[in-house]
Amino acid sequence: MTELEKVISGARQICLVSHTHPDGDALGSVVGLGSYLIERKGKSVKCILPTAPADNLMFMVPEGFPLSIAEDDTPAALDIIKGCDLLMVLDCSGLSRTDFLEEHLRKSTAFKVLMDHHVSPETGDFGMVFSKTEISSASELIYWILRDMEGGTLPQATRTALMAGMTTDTNNFANSVFPSTFAMASELIEAGTDRDYILSSIYQQYRENRIRLMGWMQSSNMVVLPCGAAYMILDADTQKRFDYKEGDSEGLVNIPLGIAGVKLSVMLKQTEKGFRVSIRSRRGTSARELAVRSFHGGGHENASGGKLDFGTDIANAGAASAYVEQAIKEYLK
Ligand code: 5GP
Ligand code: MN
């Protein structure tokens, strides 16, 4: 902590980065730490996300907060990377989770700090690493770091963002919850954080299409295999039919785990280059191992992800279901 304080106070320009396809924890970490460094430490901070978060998460970003989406304005993002002397990478197991920014971040000579909660972080790229896996989220890890630094009440924007990030990463206290997680929530509510506002912003502001898509995927698209697994493929046609937007399928992969006997759930979402893969498992079955083994990915024991590429892994979208079924059957054998 003493070293971290020194590094922060000596920094001229700080850049915060999180992972591609940012979820609530990625955005919460960046906004939470960013607003703290600006408000309480008077630092010059710029934040970059490789791609945009879903609309329903944007409530936690305060007016005027310095957030750039690299995919939308790449030259601006690269200028930020070039101009910073302290680079803080949040909620990423390493630079490889930052998509096309990876090579630029790797080239940067800025001092690099990692704050993360995934297993096997790529620590070699960093001068300082805060890594803990027995914790709900990167937002929680950052909460305890800032509590240590500050002593008193954290800024409101920080409290809202960190509470929101922890809430989405735990599925609203359904998984990866530790005693420290409840302690954090308790302190934040005590400090006046509006949890009702956070919950309604995250879970009650969806587009009608999302709810219809979720229903259709479950009734017409979900395949349940006798080996104790289920999978769904959200292909390009379905995305078009439901006017799909980032975040519309958030949480869908968890639903098949509600079926008795299903211990593994896999969801594929088509992209230009192939499919993004989400995997969830019940305790006793590793989602991560399947992600590593068959989908170039990783993550947490029971919540992980990866990808399938056209050309190398599968010839086309039509070949996805056979690949997934084979991978699951082989894995659970
Ligand atoms: P989601 O299914 O919500 O997109 O991802 C679940 C978790 O899996 C994330 O928190 C992240 O840790 C991990 N994850 C998702 N995609 C990838 C990937 O491509 N590579 C790695 N290493 N982890 C991933
Ligand atoms: Mn996370």
Side-chain angles (χ1 to χ4, degrees):
M1 286 303 300
T2 315
E3 286 304 307
L4 177 64
E5 296 241 32
K6 261 193 233 164
V7 164
I8 289 171
S9 72
R12 186 180 38 79
Q13 180 66 54
I14 303 177
C15 171
L16 307 186
V17 183
S18 191
H19 61 80
T20 185
H21 299 287
D23 54 9
D25 192 29
L27 185 62
S29 297
V30 161
V31 173
L33 180 58
S35 345
Y36 175 81
L37 293 173
I38 294 165
E39 276 192 44
R40 294 290 161 83
K41 299 283 182 191
K43 304 307 293 189
S44 176
V45 176
K46 294 195 171 140
C47 305
I48 312 175
L49 294 171
T51 58
D55 285 346
N56 69 320
L57 298 172
M58 293 305 285
F59 75 94
M60 64 175 105
V61 184
E63 186 101 15
F65 185 79
L67 178 66
S68 301
I69 307 303
E71 191 180 44
D72 299 344
D73 190 349
T74 309
L78 299 187
D79 279 348
I80 294 172
I81 295 173
K82 278 190 205 125
C84 73
D85 58 345
L86 175 57
L87 194 59
M88 303 180 83
V89 180
L90 315 176
D91 191 32
C92 291
S93 49
L95 296 180
S96 62
R97 294 280 288 123
T98 61
D99 207 331
F100 63 97
L101 292 180
E102 179 180 357
E103 50 171 320
H104 303 281
L105 294 170
R106 225 172 260 292
K107 265 188 247 158
S108 160
T109 55
F111 188 78
K112 299 187 186 70
V113 176
L114 178 69
M115 294 181 177
D116 182 54
H117 69 125
H118 296 93
V119 280
S120 324
E122 303 155 20
T123 56
D125 295 315
F126 298 91
M128 190 181 288
V129 173
F130 291 79
S131 162
K132 185 172 165 71
T133 53
E134 300 289 295
I135 198 164
S136 65
S137 51
S139 294
E140 187 189 329
L141 177 63
I142 291 165
Y143 176 76
W144 293 116
I145 291 171
L146 296 186
R147 269 274 276 92
D148 212 14
M149 218 179 250
E150 181 71 8
T153 307
L154 297 169
Q156 191 193 330
T158 296
R159 288 189 276 112
T160 300
L162 297 182
M163 178 78 114
M166 176 273 281
T167 299
T168 57
D169 247 31
T170 60
N171 254 313
N172 196 14
F173 295 93
N175 49 257
S176 339
V177 174
F178 294 85
S180 61
T181 315
F182 289 113
M184 164 190 180
S186 173
E187 287 186 14
L188 283 174
I189 292 169
E190 187 80 39
T193 312
D194 190 346
R195 201 173 119 78
D196 290 345
Y197 164 71
I198 292 171
L199 290 184
S200 69
S201 301
I202 298 172
Y203 299 115
Q204 296 180 324
Q205 296 296 328
Y206 290 120
R207 299 154 62 240
E208 180 182 335
N209 274 355
R210 158 176 160 100
I211 306 300
R212 296 200 183 278
L213 169 70
M214 301 270 280
W216 192 84
M217 290 294 287
Q218 289 167 69
S219 65
S220 309
N221 199 298
M222 181 176 65
V223 178
V224 182
L225 301 170
C227 60
Y231 72 89
M232 291 184 253
I233 298 178
L234 177 49
D235 62 15
D237 285 346
T238 308
Q239 291 177 34
K240 207 165 152 196
R241 176 133 81 98
F242 289 92
D243 182 29
Y244 180 86
K245 295 213 162 47
E246 183 74 28
D248 278 356
S249 57
E250 185 67 37
L252 184 57
V253 65
N254 295 304
I255 291 174
L257 290 183
I259 303 168
V262 172
K263 54 196 179 195
L264 186 70
S265 168
V266 180
M267 203 190 84
L268 268 61
K269 191 171 73 191
Q270 193 170 345
T271 63
E272 268 167 41
K273 291 176 252 169
F275 288 90
R276 291 222 324 117
V277 180
S278 279
I279 309 173
R280 299 291 184 273
S281 63
R282 288 201 209 173
R283 192 156 37 170
T285 301
S286 174
R288 198 174 75 86
E289 215 177 297
L290 178 62
V292 171
R293 201 192 273 210
S294 302
F295 300 106
H296 316 284
H300 310 286
E301 194 57 15
N302 301 121
S304 55
K307 60 175 184 160
L308 272 188
D309 288 326
F310 289 145
T312 48
D313 299 314
I314 47 174
N316 50 44
S321 63
Y323 182 101
V324 174
E325 250 188 74
Q326 175 72 16
I328 292 173
K329 283 180 183 161
E330 198 104 309
Y331 179 58
L332 290 180
K333 201 162 61 188

